[in-house]
């Protein structure tokens, strides 16, 4: 049985005062667990807000090291963290923001061998990955294990958000069946990204997680929201389960996890 | 996401080569906005007219996500609803 201490009630008072959240909603957040894949451009804002919001347990999986080029958007890390493992740097920052939150650190890559074990204990998964192979691996694993996944992607001045209820709502492959051929879509390292766009998308992902966990409003299931910072516009596209989807369709062709092999992808810094 | 909105009307009707549009115009709803195009006959031409790289986007036509191999084969019709779905966040080098 979890109980909010007096300190916690004061800390979360601006949440608790919202009728949609209240003490019960805050209690739910404390009883919940969230796994954030990547502590980079999207993971940074998502982790900061989820930690501040008082999620009970937060997992961070990240195998990279803080680099000077990360600091323009990865606001979880600071200049003295350069050279430090991102997972450790993330853990230190988050623990300072909110010592009530239990932080699990996974300092390795997500692979088809370890993904089921890693995602199993968490209620919601946040996608902050920087590459297509892991993005598809994560989608497939969440569909197979009926996990809730909050997708996010950024490139240049654009962002994308979509919430997926594994096996129930449209999945990433229902919309993007296969990854683009290697070399066709540039990475953030090649094409650049406005740092604040990562902030918008990562913060929207955190908002979705909090809504889903506290049962507030309407999650972005079966909807894909695209953000265009240049025009400052959001464009929503309805998505629906694709009966021909290779992982969640009527006759799935992907019944075991696959890891796409993209040459050189490890050289790309995290988005 | 290049945008061809213009309060003065459809900019795409003005062809770069200065020639008059081939047809009076095709009314399409692209990315939620209604615009007249100088009859781009297929999805690929529409992408090019909009300045989109066909390698970067998936296309949803009247609610159905198209097979990327069909971009050139699919002819657009009056009133079609077209949405672009962008691949994002891949660390492809
Ligand atoms: Zn699917």
């Amino acid at each position: 049985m979890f109980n909010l201490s007096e300190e916690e009630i004061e800390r979360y008072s601006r949440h608790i005062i919202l009728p949609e959240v209240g003490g019960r909603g805050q209690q739910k957040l404390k009883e919940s667990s969230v796994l954030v894949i990547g502590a980079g451009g999207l993971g940074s804002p998502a982790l900061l807000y989820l930690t501040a919001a008082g999620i009970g347990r937060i997992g961070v999986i990240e195998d990279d090291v803080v680099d000077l080029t990360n600091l323009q958007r990865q606001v979880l890390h600071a200049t003295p963290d350069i050279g430090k493992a991102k997972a450790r740097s993330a853990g230190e920052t988050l623990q300072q923001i909110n010592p009530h939150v239990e932080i699990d650190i996974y300092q390795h890559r997500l692979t088809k061998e370890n993904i089921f074990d890693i995602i199993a204990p968490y209620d919601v998964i946040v996608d902050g990955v920087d590459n297509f192979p892991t993005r598809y691996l994560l989608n497939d694993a969440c569909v197979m294990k009926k996990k809730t996944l909050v997708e996010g992607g950024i490139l240049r001045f654009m962002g994308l958000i979509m919430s997926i209820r594994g096996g129930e709502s449209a999945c990433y492959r229902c919309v993007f069946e296969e990854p683009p051929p290697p070399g066709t879509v540039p990475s953030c390292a090649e094409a650049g990204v406005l740092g604040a766009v990562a902030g918008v998308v990562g913060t929207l992902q955190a908002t979705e997680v909090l809504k889903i966990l506290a049962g507030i409003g309407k999650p972005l299931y079966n909807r894909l929201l695209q953000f265009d910072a240049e025009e400052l516009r959001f464009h929503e596209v309805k998505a629906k389960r694709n009966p021909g989807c290779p992982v969640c369709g009527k006759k799935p062709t992907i019944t075991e996890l696959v890891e796409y092999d993209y040459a050189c992808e490890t050289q790309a810094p995290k988005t | 996401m290049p945008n061809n909105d213009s309060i003065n009307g459809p900019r795409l009707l003005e062809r770069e080569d200065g020639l008059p549009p081939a047809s009076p115009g095709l009314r399409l709803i692209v990315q939620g906005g209604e615009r007249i195009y100088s009859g781009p006959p297929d999805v690929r031409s529409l992408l090019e007219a909009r300045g989109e790289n066909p390698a970067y986007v998936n296309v949803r036509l009247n609610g159905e996500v198209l097979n990327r191999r069909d971009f050139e084969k699919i002819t657009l019709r009056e009133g079609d609803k077209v949405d672009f779905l962008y691949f994002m966040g891949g660390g492809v080098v």
Side-chain angles (χ1 to χ4, degrees):
Chain A
M1 185 59 194
F2 293 92
N3 273 310
L4 297 171
S5 66
E6 255 174 64
E7 196 268 353
E8 286 173 291
I9 290 169
E10 195 178 334
R11 177 185 283 264
Y12 306 125
S13 58
R14 301 300 187 275
H15 267 173
I16 295 170
I17 204 166
L18 291 166
E20 294 81 356
V21 181
R24 281 180 64 180
Q26 192 62 49
Q27 184 74 33
K28 271 195 211 163
L29 297 181
K30 187 173 176 174
E31 288 163 19
S32 300
S33 57
V34 178
L35 176 67
V36 179
I37 319 287
L42 297 176
S44 285
L47 283 163
L48 290 170
Y49 277 107
L50 293 171
T51 303
I55 300 288
R57 184 186 199 95
I58 295 181
V60 186
I61 175 158
E62 172 66 71
D63 70 336
D64 204 9
V65 168
V66 180
D67 177 273
L68 185 58
T69 62
N70 298 152
L71 301 184
Q72 158 260 19
R73 65 200 176 284
Q74 303 186 9
V75 293
L76 199 47
H77 316 292
T79 311
D81 297 321
I82 292 171
K84 208 187 267 184
K86 271 189 202 173
R88 209 186 106 206
S89 161
E92 287 169 4
T93 309
L94 298 175
Q95 214 65 89
Q96 277 193 11
I97 288 172
N98 192 344
H100 298 285
V101 177
E102 235 180 286
I103 310 278
D104 305 328
I105 298 290
Y106 303 90
Q107 208 173 311
H108 46 77
R109 274 179 72 85
L110 206 55
T111 65
K112 63 179 182 190
E113 284 76 30
N114 65 22
I115 189 165
F116 285 148
D117 288 339
I118 292 176
I119 66 174
Y122 297 94
D123 299 319
V124 179
I125 323 288
V126 177
D127 184 348
V129 308
D130 65 328
N131 64 84
F132 285 112
T134 314
R135 194 170 288 273
Y136 281 85
L137 178 70
L138 186 58
N139 176 73
D140 297 351
C142 288
V143 168
M144 288 174 190
K145 294 292 174 193
K146 302 202 182 315
K147 285 280 180 187
T148 300
L149 170 67
V150 180
E151 265 293 339
I154 46 169
L155 189 65
R156 292 177 39 78
F157 296 91
M158 292 193 293
L160 166 154
I161 315 105
M162 179 186 183
S163 298
I164 297 162
R165 218 178 154 87
E168 283 179 44
S169 71
C171 83
Y172 192 72
R173 274 193 201 270
C174 288
V175 184
F176 301 101
E177 196 171 316
E178 290 288 325
T184 53
V185 177
S187 67
C188 288
E190 293 170 317
V193 61
L194 193 74
V197 169
V200 171
V201 174
T203 305
L204 283 172
Q205 288 179 288
T207 309
E208 274 293 284
V209 171
L210 296 172
K211 279 167 53 193
I212 290 167
L213 292 174
I216 300 164
K218 219 172 82 181
L220 259 180
Y221 297 137
N222 295 314
R223 294 188 286 157
L224 190 128
L225 192 63
Q226 299 188 104
F227 170 60
D228 174 358
E230 278 179 293
E231 303 286 331
L232 209 76
R233 255 190 251 236
F234 284 93
H235 178 58
E236 185 185 310
V237 180
K238 295 258 176 296
K240 56 179 182 187
R241 282 283 290 281
N242 174 1
C245 173
V247 69
C248 81
K250 289 202 173 105
K251 284 183 185 161
T253 51
I254 299 167
T255 50
E256 269 178 48
L257 292 175
V258 284
E259 250 174 290
Y260 294 95
D261 189 21
Y262 271 40
C264 314
E265 60 96 353
T266 49
Q267 289 175 14
K270 304 271 164 175
T271 56
Chain B
M1 257 184 250
N3 203 295
N4 288 293
D5 262 344
S6 159
I7 50 164
N8 298 319
R11 214 191 299 169
L12 283 168
L13 269 174
E14 296 156 20
R15 291 170 44 142
E16 272 179 25
D17 56 12
L19 294 169
S23 69
L26 186 64
R27 190 182 54 90
L28 299 174
I29 299 150
V30 181
Q31 297 285 85
E34 189 177 308
R35 271 155 239 164
I36 313 285
Y37 290 87
S38 55
D42 61 77
V43 172
R44 197 188 166 90
S45 313
L46 174 68
L47 287 171
E48 278 162 11
R50 295 268 308 194
E52 305 288 353
N53 183 334
Y56 294 9
V57 286
N58 264 5
V59 176
R60 196 163 164 278
L61 174 61
N62 301 325
E64 299 298 326
V65 179
L66 302 179
N67 189 317
R68 301 163 55 72
R69 285 179 289 273
D70 295 340
F71 285 176
E72 274 162 61
K73 288 182 232 157
I74 292 173
T75 309
L76 294 164
R77 291 194 206 101
E78 182 78 8
D80 273 346
K81 260 189 84 179
V82 186
D83 291 298
F84 302 138
L85 309 160
Y86 299 83
F87 279 105
M88 261 176 248
V92 187
V93 176

